[in-house]
């Protein structure tokens, strides 16, 4: 009783009498009245359902407008009342299913104890009335008794009827048909049954049975229907109900002193609500109780303006979760309380209906918050807001005010818990500023932890939280924070790594960096802070190719300085066939990748021994390595050769460098290789490159600088055919020597003479600079040269004489052709060799043809078919000479490059380049003399060609 008196009272419902709708004339507003005699009612499917009864032993007069007794009335929202007669005498019980248009009624058609159960299908009609699908007597066995209560399962497979003699009849199967259902007595007792209720939980169905003296629970989903007695006290009629899922579908039993809640297997909580209970219902999380009011109380906001009399009834609406009274009011003789269209309808005995409309959530909260906050009843305000599904913004504001209240009272632990509940709505800085004091750092830590768990923290929050951990030196909390699984990371990892590193928690920072694949931070901490170079190198070996490559370029020098051998081995793998060390080998493994080995040469800046091993490895396993690898290896071998003192090792290094040069990898970088060899004075390499580059003069100059006379002669003998000027340079070299070089000069002169490389005068002028060279040195050369020239002169004179005689002969033939007739004595055709017959064609060249043969084979009427090919050759030579007359660049080039310029000039004179020649190739029509002269010129050219 004490607990009940402490419950807060609110007015969450508005009370209003239901009035008649306006008529055609606009009149209305009168209180709506039901027919007299209404005793039972129910609601559902959009209507309020009523049933009337015949009072006493005789018939009481009714108004002529009302239907007969035993009618069932339907009142829709439009208040257009309709009815049909269901029984002849009275309707005692009604049950309207909420999910089906099925109405079950109990009533009497004749006097005596003879109750009938009728099942009505409201969607089907029979003569304008609902279709009655089933009728059966409500009698347990053969003993007639009065029906006390009725309930039907929403799945239409169960119906239970309670009787005044303590019996309960269960109908199992389709309750709308006789054939598909079975009726049996489920319960027998000595006390009247006052309440029944089905409870469905999953596939399990229970039936609660309450009498005036006990409460029992039957399990209907199990064979034989086992039952359990829950309590040894009961309740009166209509004083039990079943709650909704918000109260876990508990069975509510209201006694005069307390209200009890029951599960199918046990009793739950109880509430001390005083007064004789008349009606109990459950509505949208509220418990509705109608009880007698046996005391007079003063005026109140719940009781209206009149004093409460002892025959009044009090309707209370309780919120069991939040423990307050949502509404309380007094009515006169309540028949029942119905729920439909989102409101409560209170039916009184005088036929009037009062509607209780629940206020909207915002109105209810505004009405009670001021009072609750004023009295610091924040918990009740929170529970009220939650039960009415207040939005998160409204709840957050209540939590904030509650937190501020606790903070001002000095309850920082409680305040931070309320502030935590505002996360996501309240700006975090509002809370953080309150707890920046060092004494409240643990509260701030709790808030920041929750902020991270909800993934609402930014980088600054992460920094602040980690600083809190480090200030508190709470390593366990720190580890718990950072060692969450990857799917539960609620903070900025990079920020956490930075803060931990700055605070000196290197192991924690490394753990985060490794777990979340922040490779750069991992390596930076390992190399710069922990100095664990071996571990860093192993970590790089586990990375994917691209990241391993980039990190080796970044940290390669540091690693090479501290762990040179291991770093070199990793670079070898990285540049040949890299696979992360964590990968397992298998047939589905990806093909290995390789980096550009030339890009890693700077890593070996101070480690020449490891660089040499790396480069030699690359050239062995990868012949197509970049050119820079070979260039660097050559430079490294030349450096080692130049600085080596041991002759045996020096010889080995010499051979290695020369072998590398001869590998053919330096053709495209010839100049670079040559410069390297010259820088290190690698003579054999320089000479080899000169030879490969066909720099024969440089080879000879190299030997000249070193005064290697035999080598000079050998170079001339080897490459003199490719570059004839080598002999001239050798002669000039020996001519400038004051030493006795007669032997070498003689060898050079012998070759110059055999190849006719220099004019004798130039040879004499060249040797005149040598004071040791006497005439005996060139005596044989000059004698041989003069003898050759004498023989050449004789040959030329003979040719001149021959050309003169030939010219004289040709001129005589021309004169004869001009002055004397030409006799054609040919007897055979020059083409078919048959005897000539007229008509025939004759040419001055002496060839004769049949006319038809000439026409068949001749390409021109003015040319002899037999002589035409030879004539064309001569004509082509003449044309070629004409075209080459203006080729000055070609002439200059040949003159410059030739060893005998005189012969080049003579050749161009012979071609007529320096003469102007007029050549007549076409015969002008109508001029016989000109035609004859042109023919004679052609004949002259032809004879001249034949004579040559």
């Amino acid at each position: 009783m004490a607990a009940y008196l402490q419950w807060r009272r609110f007015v969450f419902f508005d009370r209003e009498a239901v009035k008649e709708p306006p008529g055609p004339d606009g009149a209305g507003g009168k209180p709506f009245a039901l027919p007299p005699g209404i005793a039972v009612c129910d609601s559902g499917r959009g209507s309020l359902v009523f049933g009337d009864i015949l009072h006493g032993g005789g018939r009481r007069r009714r108004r002529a407008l009302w239907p007969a007794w035993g009618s069932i009335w339907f009142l829709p929202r439009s208040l257009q009342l309709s009815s049909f007669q269901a029984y002849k005498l009275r309707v005692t019980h009604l049950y309207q299913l909420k999910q089906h248009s099925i109405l079950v009624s109990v009533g009497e058609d004749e006097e005596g104890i003879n109750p009938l159960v009728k099942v009505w299908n409201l969607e089907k009609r029979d003569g304008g009335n609902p279709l009655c699908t089933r009728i059966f007597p409500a009698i347990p066995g053969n003993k007639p008794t009065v029906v006390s209560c009725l309930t039907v399962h929403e799945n239409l497979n169960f119906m239970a009827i309670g009787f005044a003699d303590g019996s309960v009849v269960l109908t199992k199967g389709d309750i709308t048909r006789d054939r598909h259902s079975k009726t049996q007595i489920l319960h027998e007792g000595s006390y009247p049954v006052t309440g029944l209720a089905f409870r469905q939980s999953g596939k399990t169905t229970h039936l609660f049975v309450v009498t005036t003296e006990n409460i029992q629970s039957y399990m209907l989903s199990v064979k034989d229907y086992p039952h359990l007695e829950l309590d040894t006290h009961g309740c009166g009629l209509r004083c039990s109900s079943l709650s909704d899922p918000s109260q876990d579908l508990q069975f509510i039993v209201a006694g005069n002193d307390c209200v009890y809640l029951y599960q199918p297997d046990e009793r739950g909580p109880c509430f001390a609500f005083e007064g004789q209970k008349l009606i109990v219902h459950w509505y949208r999380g509220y418990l509705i109780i109608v009880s007698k009011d046996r005391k007079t109380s003063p005026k109140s906001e719940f009781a209206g303006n009149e004093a409460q009399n002892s025959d009044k009834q009090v309707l209370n609406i309780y919120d069991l979760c939040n423990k307050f009274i949502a509404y309380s009011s007094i009515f006169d003789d309540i028949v029942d309380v119905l729920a439909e269209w989102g409101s409560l309808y209170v039916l009184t005995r005088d036929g009037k209906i009062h509607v209780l409309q629940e206020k909207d959530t915002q109105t209810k909260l505004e009405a009670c918050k001021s009072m609750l906050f004023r009295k610091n009843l924040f918990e009740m305000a929170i529970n009220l807001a939650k039960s009415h599904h207040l939005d998160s913004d409204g709840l957050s504001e209540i939590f904030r005010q509650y937190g501020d209240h606790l903070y001002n009272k000095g309850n920082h632990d409680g305040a931070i818990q309320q502030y935590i509940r505002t996360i996501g709505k309240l700006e975090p800085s509002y809370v953080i500023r309150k707890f920046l004091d060092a004494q409240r750092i643990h509260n701030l830590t709790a808030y920041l932890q929750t902020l991270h768990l909800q993934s609402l923290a930014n980088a600054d929050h992460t920094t602040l939280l980690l600083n809190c951990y480090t200030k508190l030196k709470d390593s366990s909390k720190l580890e718990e924070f950072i060692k969450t699984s990857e799917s539960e990371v609620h903070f900025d990892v990079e920020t956490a790594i930075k803060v931990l590193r700055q605070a000196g928690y290197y192991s924690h920072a490394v753990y985060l960096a490794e777990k979340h694949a922040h490779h750069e931070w991992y390596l930076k901490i390992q190399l710069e802070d922990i100095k664990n170079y071996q571990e860093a190198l192993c970590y790089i070996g586990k990375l994917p190719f691209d990241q391993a490559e980039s990190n080796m370029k970044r940290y390669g020098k540091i690693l090479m300085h501290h762990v040179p051998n291991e770093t070199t081995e990793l670079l070898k793998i990285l540049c040949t066939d890299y696979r992360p060390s964590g990968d397992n080998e298998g047939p589905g493994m990806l093909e290995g990748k390789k980096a550009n080995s030339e890009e890693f040469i700077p890593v070996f800046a101070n480690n020449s021994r490891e660089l040499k091993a790396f480069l030699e490895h690359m050239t062995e396993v990868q012949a197509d390595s970049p050119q820079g690898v070979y260039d660097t290896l050559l430079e490294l071998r030349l450096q080692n050769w130049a600085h080596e003192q041991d002759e045996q090792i020096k010889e080995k290094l010499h051979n290695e460098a020369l072998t590398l040069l001869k590998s053919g990898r330096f053709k495209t970088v010839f100049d670079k290789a040559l410069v390297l060899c010259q820088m290190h004075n690698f003579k054999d390499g320089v000479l080899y490159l000169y030879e490969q580059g066909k720099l024969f003069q440089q080879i000879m100059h190299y030997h000249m600088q070193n005064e290697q006379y035999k080598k000079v002669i050998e170079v001339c003998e080897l490459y003199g055919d490719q570059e004839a000027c080598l002999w001239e340079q050798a002669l000039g070299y020996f001519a400038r020597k004051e030493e006795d070089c007669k032997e070498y000069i003689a060898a050079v002169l012998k070759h110059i003479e055999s190849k006719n490389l220099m004019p004798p005068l130039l040879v004499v002028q060249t040797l005149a600079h040598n004071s040791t060279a006497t005439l005996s040195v060139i005596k044989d050369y000059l004698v041989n040269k003069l003898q050759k020239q004498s023989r050449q002169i004789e040959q030329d004179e003979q040719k001149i004489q021959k050309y003169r005689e030939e010219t004289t002969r040709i001129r005589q033939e021309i004169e004869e052709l001009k002055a004397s007739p030409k006799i054609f004595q040919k007897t055979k055709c020059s083409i078919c060799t048959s005897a000539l017959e007229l008509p025939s064609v004759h040419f001055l060249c002496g060839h004769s043809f049949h006319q038809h043969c000439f026409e068949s084979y001749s390409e021109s009427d003015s040319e002899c078919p037999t002589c035409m090919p030879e004539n064309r050759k001569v004509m082509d030579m003449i044309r070629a000479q004409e075209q080459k007359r203006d080729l000055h660049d070609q002439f200059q080039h040949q003159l410059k490059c030739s060893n005998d310029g005189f012969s080049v000039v003579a050749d161009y004179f012979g071609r007529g380049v320096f003469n102007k020649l007029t050549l007549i190739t076409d015969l002008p029509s109508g001029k016989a003399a000109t035609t004859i002269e042109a023919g004679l010129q052609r004949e002259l050219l032809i004879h001249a060609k034949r004579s040559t």
Side-chain angles (χ1 to χ4, degrees):
M1 184 64 183
Y4 165 69
L5 291 177
Q6 292 178 0
W7 283 27
R8 301 289 171 179
R9 291 173 177 266
F10 301 100
V11 183
F12 285 171
F13 289 81
D14 293 324
R15 174 178 172 175
E16 185 179 357
V18 177
K19 297 181 180 180
E20 294 181 355
D25 56 353
K30 295 180 180 180
F32 182 82
L34 290 171
I38 297 297
V40 293
C41 53
D42 203 353
S43 62
R45 308 300 292 178
S47 295
L48 303 181
V49 186
F50 309 106
D52 60 9
I53 64 173
L54 176 65
H55 289 277
R59 292 179 177 270
R60 195 170 61 181
R61 288 185 68 84
R62 294 168 57 95
R63 291 169 53 186
L65 297 177
W66 300 119
W69 296 105
S71 298
I72 296 178
W73 302 77
F74 296 95
L75 182 65
R77 198 165 191 176
S78 62
L79 301 181
Q80 300 297 323
L81 196 61
S82 62
S83 67
F84 71 96
Q85 187 169 3
Y87 297 90
K88 296 179 180 178
L89 292 182
R90 61 181 63 87
V91 180
T92 59
H93 297 83
L94 289 175
Y95 192 94
Q96 172 66 58
L97 278 80
K98 303 301 184 288
Q99 300 176 12
H100 304 277
S101 296
I102 300 295
L103 174 65
V104 180
S105 64
V106 178
E108 297 177 1
D109 283 337
E110 57 186 25
E111 295 291 345
I113 302 176
N114 189 21
L116 289 177
V117 178
K118 295 184 180 182
V119 181
W120 308 90
N121 188 333
L122 303 181
E123 293 180 346
K124 297 181 180 181
R125 314 303 290 183
D126 181 15
N129 297 328
L131 176 64
C132 182
T133 62
R134 184 181 181 187
I135 303 175
F136 64 94
I139 299 176
N142 298 321
K143 181 182 179 181
T145 183
V146 177
V147 174
S148 59
C149 53
L150 167 69
T151 186
V152 182
H153 199 293
E154 286 292 336
N155 63 13
L156 300 179
N157 288 325
F158 294 102
M159 179 169 61
I161 304 173
F163 296 91
D165 66 351
S167 302
V168 175
V169 173
L170 177 68
T171 301
K172 183 178 182 182
D174 189 352
I175 65 169
T176 63
R177 299 182 182 180
D178 291 323
R179 294 183 180 180
H180 301 286
S181 63
K182 180 182 178 181
T183 301
Q184 68 183 84
I185 298 176
L186 178 68
H187 172 80
E188 291 182 333
S190 304
Y191 306 104
V193 178
T194 56
L196 298 169
F198 287 108
R199 182 183 189 272
Q200 187 71 40
S201 178
K203 295 182 179 181
T204 304
T205 304
H206 289 88
L207 174 65
F208 290 102
V209 178
V210 58
T211 68
T212 56
E213 299 296 333
N214 58 29
I215 304 170
Q216 298 190 36
S217 168
Y218 286 84
M219 184 180 291
L220 303 184
S221 54
V222 178
K223 190 177 180 180
D224 298 334
Y225 307 138
H227 69 280
L228 178 66
E229 186 174 16
L230 301 177
D231 216 332
T232 57
H233 59 81
C235 66
L237 282 173
R238 300 196 299 172
C239 290
S240 62
S241 183
L242 189 71
S243 69
D244 59 18
S246 66
Q247 280 291 333
D248 198 19
L249 297 174
Q250 296 186 89
F251 187 55
I252 302 171
V253 178
N256 290 336
D257 297 328
C258 294
V259 174
Y260 300 90
L261 278 66
Y262 296 91
Q263 293 284 356
D265 54 353
E266 63 180 353
R267 192 178 80 176
C270 67
F271 299 90
F273 297 150
E274 190 183 39
Q276 182 182 354
K277 312 301 186 298
L278 301 177
I279 301 173
V280 173
H281 286 295
W282 185 269
Y283 169 74
R284 291 186 176 182
Y286 293 114
L287 176 62
I288 302 170
I289 297 179
V290 177
S291 58
K292 288 185 177 181
D293 184 26
R294 297 193 176 277
K295 57 184 179 178
T296 302
S297 60
K299 299 179 181 181
S300 70
E301 61 179 358
F302 305 104
N305 295 328
E306 297 180 357
Q308 298 181 9
N309 300 321
S310 60
D311 57 347
K312 300 290 184 179
Q313 296 176 353
V314 179
L315 184 146
N316 288 320
I317 302 177
Y318 299 95
D319 186 331
L320 301 184
C321 293
N322 299 313
K323 294 182 174 53
F324 64 83
I325 301 173
Y327 183 77
S328 180
S329 184
I330 296 176
F331 292 87
D332 294 327
D333 200 3
I334 298 176
V335 176
D336 208 343
V337 180
L338 305 177
E340 191 65 26
W341 309 306
S343 301
L344 291 173
Y345 292 86
V346 182
L347 174 63
T348 57
R349 190 67 62 186
D350 57 5
K352 294 181 181 180
I353 302 177
H354 300 268
V355 60
L356 299 180
Q357 180 69 45
E358 187 177 9
K359 298 178 181 179
D360 63 87
T361 302
Q362 192 63 33
T363 302
K364 289 188 291 185
L365 291 175
E366 291 298 330
C368 69
K369 271 198 306 184
S370 59
M371 181 189 73
L372 294 176
F373 289 174
R374 187 171 61 252
K375 298 181 179 181
N376 298 326
L377 299 175
F378 291 98
E379 288 292 347
M380 179 174 287
I382 292 169
N383 294 334
L384 178 63
K386 286 182 176 179
S387 64
H388 288 80
H389 308 291
L390 183 65
D391 60 17
S392 56
D393 291 334
L395 279 172
S396 178
E397 178 60 21
I398 297 175
F399 294 143
R400 183 194 66 78
Q401 294 185 29
Y402 192 15
D404 292 345
H405 169 71
L406 295 175
Y407 182 85
N408 293 330
K409 289 177 62 178
N411 185 0
H412 298 135
D413 294 340
I416 202 64
Q417 294 304 316
Q418 299 306 317
Y419 287 134
I420 286 173
R421 300 167 81 175
T422 67
I423 290 177
K425 298 297 179 182
L426 182 63
E427 175 61 36
S429 60
Y430 177 86
V431 180
I432 293 173
R433 284 195 298 267
K434 291 178 176 291
F435 293 90
L436 286 177
D437 193 297
Q439 296 179 353
R440 302 166 190 168
I441 193 171
H442 64 281
N443 298 124
L444 179 59
T445 303
Y447 179 81
L448 292 171
Q449 280 180 338
T450 309
L451 195 65
H452 282 81
L453 288 175
Q454 296 187 19
S455 301
L456 296 174
N458 57 29
D460 293 334
H461 299 148
T462 302
T463 302
L464 185 57
L465 177 59
L466 293 174
N467 284 329
C468 288
Y469 284 139
T470 55
K471 293 291 184 182
L472 293 172
K473 300 188 182 302
D474 193 346
S475 298
S476 60
K477 283 287 186 180
L478 180 60
E479 290 185 6
E480 181 182 353
F481 175 73
I482 67 173
K483 292 185 178 180
T484 53
S485 63
E486 186 174 354
S487 61
E488 298 176 355
V489 174
H490 306 287
F491 56 89
D492 184 78
V493 175
E494 186 170 358
T495 301
I497 294 173
K498 292 179 181 178
V499 175
L500 291 171
R501 184 189 183 198
Q502 185 177 5
Y505 286 80
Y506 301 127
S507 60
H508 296 78
V510 164
Y511 171 83
L512 273 181
E514 182 177 10
K515 181 177 180 180
H516 300 286
H518 286 261
H519 309 307
E520 295 183 8
W521 281 108
Y522 179 91
L523 294 172
K524 187 178 294 186
I525 296 170
Q526 287 282 19
L527 296 174
E528 298 178 7
D529 300 321
I530 304 178
K531 311 293 185 182
N532 193 342
Y533 305 103
Q534 187 66 47
E535 189 65 30
L537 189 65
C538 294
Y539 184 81
I540 293 176
K542 299 176 183 178
L543 297 179
F545 172 77
D546 294 336
Q547 296 171 354
E549 181 185 22
S550 62
N551 282 292
M552 282 304 295
K553 290 178 181 178
R554 183 178 294 109
Y555 302 110
K557 290 184 179 180
I558 299 176
L559 293 171
M560 183 63 66
H561 178 71
H562 294 90
V563 281
N565 295 332
E566 294 82 353
T567 305
T568 303
E569 291 302 318
L570 179 57
L571 286 175
K572 289 179 181 178
I573 298 173
L574 187 64
C575 296
T576 52
D577 185 20
Y578 179 77
R579 292 179 176 87
S581 58
D583 290 356
N584 295 322
E585 297 184 0
M589 187 175 179
L590 295 176
E591 181 181 355
K593 297 182 179 180
K594 57 183 178 181
N596 185 350
S597 51
E598 184 178 2
E599 297 177 356
F600 293 97
I601 292 177
V603 172
F604 299 87
N606 299 316
N607 300 77
S608 58
R609 181 174 61 86
E610 286 75 14
L611 176 60
K612 184 171 182 286
F614 172 72
L615 296 176
E616 289 178 347
H617 173 79
M618 293 307 303
T619 55
E620 290 174 3
V621 302
Q622 190 176 318
D624 59 343
S625 294
Q627 184 61 44
V629 172
Y630 288 92
D631 295 345
T632 308
L633 181 58
L634 175 62
E635 182 178 3
L636 195 61
R637 287 184 175 179
L638 291 175
Q639 286 179 357
N640 294 340
W641 172 80
H643 295 90
E644 184 58 48
Q645 301 297 327
D646 190 311
E647 291 299 328
Q648 293 183 351
I649 299 177
K650 193 178 184 70
E651 181 64 22
K652 180 181 178 182
L653 295 174
H654 174 278
N655 295 334
E656 289 178 354
L658 194 59
T659 302
L660 182 60
L661 276 175
K662 293 181 179 180
S663 64
R665 295 293 306 184
F666 299 92
K667 294 180 180 179
T668 58
V669 289
F670 173 83
D671 294 340
K672 185 175 183 179
L674 182 60
V675 169
L676 288 174
C677 292
Q678 290 173 342
M679 286 174 57
H680 296 87
N681 197 24
F682 190 58
K683 297 179 181 180
D684 290 347
V686 172
L687 293 175
Y688 173 77
L689 292 173
Y690 281 160
E691 182 181 357
Q692 293 300 307
K694 296 184 179 181
L695 302 176
F696 306 128
Q697 294 187 32
Q698 280 80 352
I699 296 175
M700 190 170 67
H701 290 163
Y702 178 82
H703 293 308
M704 288 177 179
Q705 290 175 359
N706 293 279
E707 297 185 352
Q708 297 174 341
Y709 302 151
K710 291 184 178 181
K711 292 289 184 180
V712 172
I713 299 299
E714 290 178 1
V715 170
C716 292
E717 291 175 349
L718 288 173
Y719 312 117
D721 294 338
Q722 301 180 48
E723 198 166 344
C725 64
L726 293 178
W727 291 103
E728 298 177 15
Q729 295 177 9
L731 181 62
Y733 169 72
F734 288 122
R736 290 190 296 271
K737 290 293 181 182
E738 297 299 329
E739 302 174 8
D740 187 5
C741 301
K742 295 180 180 180
E743 179 184 354
Y744 304 110
I745 293 175
V748 173
L749 288 175
K750 182 178 178 180
H751 192 83
I752 290 176
E753 179 187 356
S754 63
K755 298 294 183 180
N756 194 23
L757 299 178
M758 294 176 65
L761 182 60
L762 184 58
V763 172
V764 174
Q765 291 176 349
T766 301
L767 292 176
H769 298 288
N770 191 331
S771 59
T772 61
T774 59
L775 186 60
S776 61
V777 177
I778 60 172
K779 175 183 176 181
D780 295 336
Y781 168 76
L782 293 176
V783 170
N784 292 335
K785 198 65 177 176
L786 291 173
Q787 289 177 352
K788 283 184 179 180
Q789 289 183 355
S790 298
R791 289 193 294 271
Q792 185 65 38
I793 292 172
E794 291 177 359
Q795 292 176 1
D796 292 342
E797 288 177 350
Q798 291 176 1
K799 287 183 179 180
I800 291 171
Q801 184 62 32
K802 181 180 176 181
Y803 290 153
R804 285 176 178 173
E805 293 175 355
E806 185 69 21
T807 302
T808 303
R809 185 182 61 79
I810 291 175
R811 285 177 178 174
Q812 291 176 357
E813 289 183 2
I814 292 173
E815 292 297 330
E816 289 178 359
L817 290 174
K818 288 181 178 180
S820 302
K822 178 68 175 177
I823 300 174
F824 301 102
Q825 296 178 344
K826 286 282 187 178
T827 60
K828 292 184 178 181
C829 177
S830 299
I831 294 177
C832 63
T833 67
S834 299
L836 279 175
E837 297 178 356
L838 294 175
S840 59
V841 178
H842 303 276
F843 285 88
L844 292 177
C845 61
H847 296 113
S848 301
F849 308 93
H850 292 114
Q851 186 174 358
H852 61 84
C853 291
F854 175 76
E855 292 176 351
S856 301
Y857 290 94
S858 177
E859 296 180 4
S860 174
D861 293 341
S862 60
E863 291 189 72
C864 172
T866 303
C867 298
M868 184 174 62
E870 194 68 26
N871 291 344
R872 286 189 175 178
K873 290 182 181 179
V874 176
M875 297 299 292
D876 291 340
M877 292 174 60
I878 294 173
R879 291 190 184 94
Q881 291 177 0
E882 288 181 342
Q883 293 174 358
K884 292 181 180 180
R885 284 181 182 179
D886 298 328
L887 300 181
H888 301 296
D889 293 339
Q890 183 177 359
F891 169 72
Q892 292 292 339
H893 177 72
Q894 291 184 3
L895 185 64
K896 182 178 180 180
C897 297
S898 176
N899 295 326
D900 188 0
F902 181 79
S903 61
V904 175
V905 174
D907 179 60
Y908 272 80
F909 265 109
R911 295 181 187 178
V913 173
F914 304 106
N915 298 328
K916 185 170 180 62
L917 176 64
T918 301
L919 179 63
I920 300 176
T921 58
D922 296 327
L923 298 176
S925 61
K927 295 185 179 181
T930 306
T931 303
I932 294 173
E933 183 153 358
L936 290 175
Q937 290 180 0
R938 283 197 299 272
E939 291 294 332
L940 178 60
L941 288 172
I942 291 169
H943 279 289
K945 179 66 179 173
R946 288 177 180 173
S947 64
T948 57

